[in-house]
Amino acid sequence: MLYSSIGYYALILGLGISLILVYFSIKNFQNSSTLNTRILSFTFLQFFLVVISFACLIISFVLSDFSNETVFNNSHTTKPLFYKIAGTWGNHEGSLLLWLLVLTLFILIFFLKTKNQPLKYKLLTLIFQQIIIIGFFLFLIQTSNPFNFIFPTPEEGMGLNPILQDPALAIHPPILYLGYVGSSIIFSSALAATYLNLVSKVWASHIKKWIIASWVFLTLGILLGSIWAYYELGWGGFWFWDPVENVSLMPWLALTTLLHCIIVLEKKQVLTSWVIILSISTFTLSMCGTFLVRSGILNSVHTFANDPERGLFILVFLFSLIFISLFIFFFFHKSSPNNSNSFFWLSKETSIIINNWFMMYFLSVVLIGTIYPIFLEVLSSQKISVGPPFYHKLIIPFLIPFLMAMAIGPKLKWIKSNIVDKFYLVLFFAISIVLSFLIVKKFSTNLLINTILVSSALYLFFITLRDFFIRKYSNISQNIAHFGFSLLILSILLNNLFSSEIITNLKVGETFTSSKTKIVFKSINQKQEKNYKSIIANFSIENINQKIEDLSPELRIYNQPNIVTSEADIKTTLLSDKFIVINIVQNQDYFNVRYQVKPFMLWIWISVIVISFGGLLSFFKKEHEK
Amino acid sequence: MKIFKLFFVIYLISSFNHLEASNDDVKSKITKNLRCLVCQGQSVYDSDSQFAISMKVLIDKKLEEGFTEIQIYDFFRERYGEWILYDPKLNKNTYVMWLLPILIFLIGGAIIIRNLILKKN
Amino acid sequence: MKNKLLLIFISLIFIIVFILFYKGLQNTNIYTPETKISNKIPSFKGDLFYSDETINSSNFFNSDKFYLLNVWSSWCVPCRKEHTFLMNFKESKKIEVVGINYKDKKINAENFLIELGNPYKKIIFDQEGIIAIEWGAYGVPETFLIKDKVIIKRYIGPLDEKTAKEIKSIIK
């Protein structure tokens, strides 16, 4: 109980400090030319208070203090310690505390690391960031207090959904938020720079590191979410175009676009308006995503709270931020004079503009697909579902020229370029087409579209690979990142083409035989674990080469809350995953067995790590090495 | 060097033979396009809920009876409404949704071309 | 000047978006399929529970009576609660209660009826759950009020005082 009180009052104090910070910053802005050191101290104090509050919540979870309503709703004495801790941010209130933690941390780091920037710029960034922070403090204290008391204190908690007890999911929110929430700094500093007319090459170099850092975390965060979905949810998929997934993808698309633009702005004073718009949009999309996921307006596997009061708060907050941004952009932004805008049509600037063009298209597809059903329902009371077919139909055709542009673009020089390496560009083009034709012909229908798709991915793959080996790249981090992206698309395509599946009903001791596979349901073990009863089914699977694999999927019957989960058994190798899952069929004594062979799954994860690694390299590159 | 790469890739392709389980393309396509109504955001293909299992049995039956893919979609649309289909039909309600991204793409292209041509002049 | 126009235009768009989201918040997001294309009864073939004979939908429902079609199973907990309301309709001359036994084991279903009483004139045995889908149901329990081979009313979830009263007043 004590910890809940400390945590709560730490939040109230933190809110108070926000107001103090805004006051001092405005005064400092108008008066002095050196930083009032009290501001730095208060920023640190604010962060420290949020840390205390967060720690108190963790402690309450670990101690199973059920007088705290959040702990009561989301924990249970039999939960393992690691998941008690992770349960802190696995719920609506706790995750908002995580939001605050990242918001305050980033502004603190911003202040510590920007010694050389103009004072007014730093102060104004702080002010804008504090506006966001105040909003979240209010939101937390008013509608989502993690430290509500319930009396009398219950004996036991309501438990946490066992699907959420997974290591990947435990670290998914912190990593994701470092990217997602971290884009707040980009938002605040872009607004500050716009107001002070400081959007320039210098500012671009400075903000670039923040963009890369946010981007790397966001990429890894999305990866962790997909890995969790694949290993834990039991349907063998990793991306479903579910609204919550889309909500994390949209800021990523905007951020990637911004990353490319900032590279241009670093070199020349162009695209300033566009950079500002992107900076504002990234965080706006994050906030919009928060709204969609927490307000109950969407229907999804992993929405958080379903509370319209909270939804209304975030909605008003979100649109306040939008209108502030619009105001500042329209009244304070002065476009750069036109004479510096000239570049030849065949140049790196153009290829980046083409990147922007396509990325904005992809962003609009995801945004419209996610939001349109909501609007349609309001206007016409008709409910439609928008799922993978919509996104695939609109995105896949455009991927083809996009991949080609990714291959050729980096090879172009600034301002004006002719294409070197013409021979290799054409040679690889031919090789890609032939190779993909061979691959696709063997295994699939839809020969034409698949061939073209695979060949464009292969093209990017070969070009970036060759560039890497002969060191003919201007920028190693970009080379690695593009290579990773080609690997990602290739892995997804090949996985899609070559995956196969058997669904059948089997009793213990029965065997399923097909022309290529034999599945034997050998036996069943039952065990009582700490907070669930476990039923493990033992299978042995024989494929056409007489190679036998043993797989043991599990069913878990939990006591608190009362649900049954299916844990797939997945054998991962470099070449493919073998995936098996069983389910109870209501009132029958056989099980529903689903066996899938999924090639290249591991490469999908590896490729995203390669992409992030490229970004990471760029982050650590020293200024003078460029 | 390149020859080795080529041979390696061809070897990889030919080693795919032992990876396959059996397949049923049309059924997969249909079940991936239908929403599991008792789940929160999963297709019938992905879901193992009772409803999804029954749906799969029914789809098998309909396919055996000779229903085409479109007829099966119509069958479910009659009983559950447009909500059960993940591929939104192009009708007066949804054409905005399908066309708006394309429109944005074209507008983006127009802006770019205008700026580039303006520069050239 | 041009800038101000653009600002007003974009602000207007965002205001509209805000209103749409605000309205969207008011809607529930639990889907109840109110909008169906037709409410004629579906055509289906099914096996009867007690006799194993196959019946056809065309001769299952006569035109002059009210029918109460109830989807139920022995493993469904809310079905127990609504069962008393179904028993109340058993003796009524105006309405005939029929059942679809959904994804059940015959033994368990029989025990359920022995324990709580059997209100059903006839029961269709839907072991795989596909007849329920023909009706557009997706879970248990669900109940349909039928007259003249048309579905008048549909109840998703168990019957209660209120809905039972409603049925009574309709069949008068």
Side-chain angles (χ1 to χ4, degrees), chain B residues 37-53:
Chain B
L37 291 179
V38 300
C39 320
Q40 272 201 304
Q42 271 188 304
S43 67
V44 168
Y45 175 85
D46 295 319
S47 164
D48 294 310
S49 65
Q50 298 304 320
F51 174 76
I53 293 178

Side-chain angles (χ1 to χ4, degrees), chain B residues 9-109:
Chain B
V9 176
I10 293 183
Y11 166 72
L12 268 184
I13 299 170
S14 50
S15 62
F16 286 157
N17 266 324
H18 63 252
L19 292 181
E20 278 188 61
S22 77
N23 232 331
D24 196 348
D25 279 327
V26 178
K27 181 174 169 210
S28 303
K29 186 160 178 240
I30 296 177
T31 49
K32 280 183 188 171
N33 205 358
L34 291 169
R35 178 188 281 267
C36 162
L37 291 179
V38 300
C39 320
Q40 272 201 304
Q42 271 188 304
S43 67
V44 168
Y45 175 85
D46 295 319
S47 164
D48 294 310
S49 65
Q50 298 304 320
F51 174 76
I53 293 178
S54 297
M55 287 282 280
K56 287 181 213 178
V57 172
L58 184 55
I59 292 172
D60 269 331
K61 280 221 166 82
K62 292 290 179 201
L63 284 172
E64 267 168 46
E65 283 170 23
F67 276 62
T68 64
E69 189 184 333
I70 309 267
Q71 285 172 324
I72 294 185
Y73 291 147
D74 285 334
F75 174 85
F76 287 115
R77 195 187 276 121
E78 260 177 44
R79 278 152 187 77
Y80 294 105
E82 203 65 49
W83 169 250
I84 199 174
L85 287 173
Y86 269 128
D87 194 355
K89 201 161 84 162
L90 190 66
N91 56 31
K92 64 175 168 59
N93 278 325
T94 62
Y95 74 85
V96 172
M97 181 177 68
W98 283 97
L99 294 181
L100 198 53
I102 311 274
L103 199 65
I104 291 179
F105 186 74
L106 293 173
I107 293 178

Side-chain angles (χ1 to χ4, degrees), chain A residues 64-112:
Chain A
S64 289
D65 176 8
F66 294 124
S67 70
N68 177 312
E69 189 179 9
T70 306
V71 180
F72 169 67
N73 279 325
N74 296 294
S75 194
H76 197 264
T77 48
T78 62
K79 240 170 58 168
L81 177 66
F82 179 69
Y83 294 121
K84 276 184 185 157
I85 298 178
T88 314
W89 54 78
N91 60 79
H92 170 73
E93 296 85 0
S95 67
L96 284 176
L97 208 42
L98 191 59
W99 260 87
L100 270 176
L101 196 63
V102 178
L103 283 171
T104 49
L105 174 67
F106 268 57
I107 191 65
L108 177 64
I109 299 180
F110 182 82
F111 252 78
L112 292 173

Side-chain angles (χ1 to χ4, degrees), chain C:
Chain C
M1 187 55 217
K2 187 166 164 209
N3 251 3
K4 300 291 161 65
L5 264 174
L6 193 57
L7 173 61
I8 294 178
F9 178 66
I10 294 188
S11 303
L12 262 164
I13 293 186
F14 275 115
I15 292 178
I16 296 177
V17 171
F18 177 83
I19 295 177
L20 286 174
F21 273 134
Y22 179 73
K23 286 257 165 85
L25 271 181
Q26 319 290 335
N27 290 337
T28 162
N29 61 11
I30 301 174
Y31 176 62
T32 47
E34 299 289 350
T35 50
K36 265 176 64 178
I37 301 205
S38 80
N39 44 16
K40 291 214 287 277
I41 58 171
S43 67
F44 61 91
K45 277 210 262 279
D47 295 329
L48 283 185
F49 189 85
Y50 285 114
S51 61
D52 255 354
E53 89 191 48
T54 309
I55 52 101
N56 213 313
S57 58
S58 47
N59 42 26
F60 196 68
F61 293 100
N62 295 325
S63 295
D64 49 351
K65 274 211 271 199
F66 280 100
Y67 286 90
L68 201 63
L69 179 85
N70 174 254
V71 185
W72 66 280
S73 348
S74 62
W75 47 264
C76 146
V77 175
C79 297
R80 300 185 146 251
K81 293 204 214 117
E82 72 167 359
H83 209 77
T84 37
F85 295 105
L86 291 169
M87 292 299 291
N88 289 344
F89 284 112
K90 180 176 181 189
E91 302 305 321
S92 164
K93 299 244 188 333
K94 300 212 185 78
I95 190 169
E96 183 171 308
V97 184
V98 295
I100 296 183
N101 180 238
Y102 179 79
K103 300 192 87 154
D104 215 341
K105 254 190 168 146
K106 272 212 171 139
I107 282 262
N108 298 338
E110 279 170 9
N111 288 338
F112 181 91
L113 293 177
I114 292 174
E115 183 191 335
L116 295 172
N118 183 358
Y120 306 107
K121 209 63 185 297
K122 298 203 190 90
I123 305 175
I124 301 171
F125 186 53
D126 186 13
Q127 193 178 42
E128 299 190 293
I130 56 186
I131 298 182
I133 295 180
E134 292 272 5
W135 280 85
Y138 48 82
V140 273
E142 283 195 39
T143 310
F144 298 81
L145 182 58
I146 302 164
K147 172 106 163 65
D148 289 330
K149 303 210 179 189
V150 163
I151 302 173
I152 312 177
K153 264 248 153 201
R154 176 177 169 186
Y155 301 99
I156 299 176
L159 294 175
D160 54 18
E161 287 267 2
K162 184 162 147 245
T163 46
K165 258 204 197 141
E166 193 178 67
I167 299 175
K168 280 208 194 94
S169 64
I170 294 179
I171 62 179
K172 276 213 172 57

Side-chain angles (χ1 to χ4, degrees), chain A residues 558-626:
Chain A
Y558 283 85
N559 44 19
Q560 192 59 269
N562 208 335
I563 53 184
V564 180
T565 68
S566 192
E567 309 290 315
D569 192 10
I570 307 179
K571 277 231 163 40
T572 303
T573 65
L574 269 186
L575 207 54
S576 76
D577 278 19
K578 313 265 189 315
F579 183 101
I580 191 169
V581 79
I582 57 169
N583 275 283
I584 300 183
V585 181
Q586 202 56 261
N587 242 310
Q588 307 295 343
D589 49 355
Y590 51 78
F591 291 94
N592 181 274
V593 179
R594 186 188 253 202
Y595 171 68
Q596 294 178 332
V597 179
K598 312 173 77 69
F600 300 122
M601 278 312 294
L602 193 60
W603 288 101
I604 297 182
W605 317 134
I606 293 179
S607 58
V608 179
I609 295 179
V610 170
I611 297 177
S612 320
F613 182 67
L616 210 56
L617 272 183
S618 183
F619 183 80
F620 286 114
K621 202 192 283 189
K622 297 266 189 287
E623 285 289 335
H624 58 81
E625 270 171 22
K626 283 199 215 144

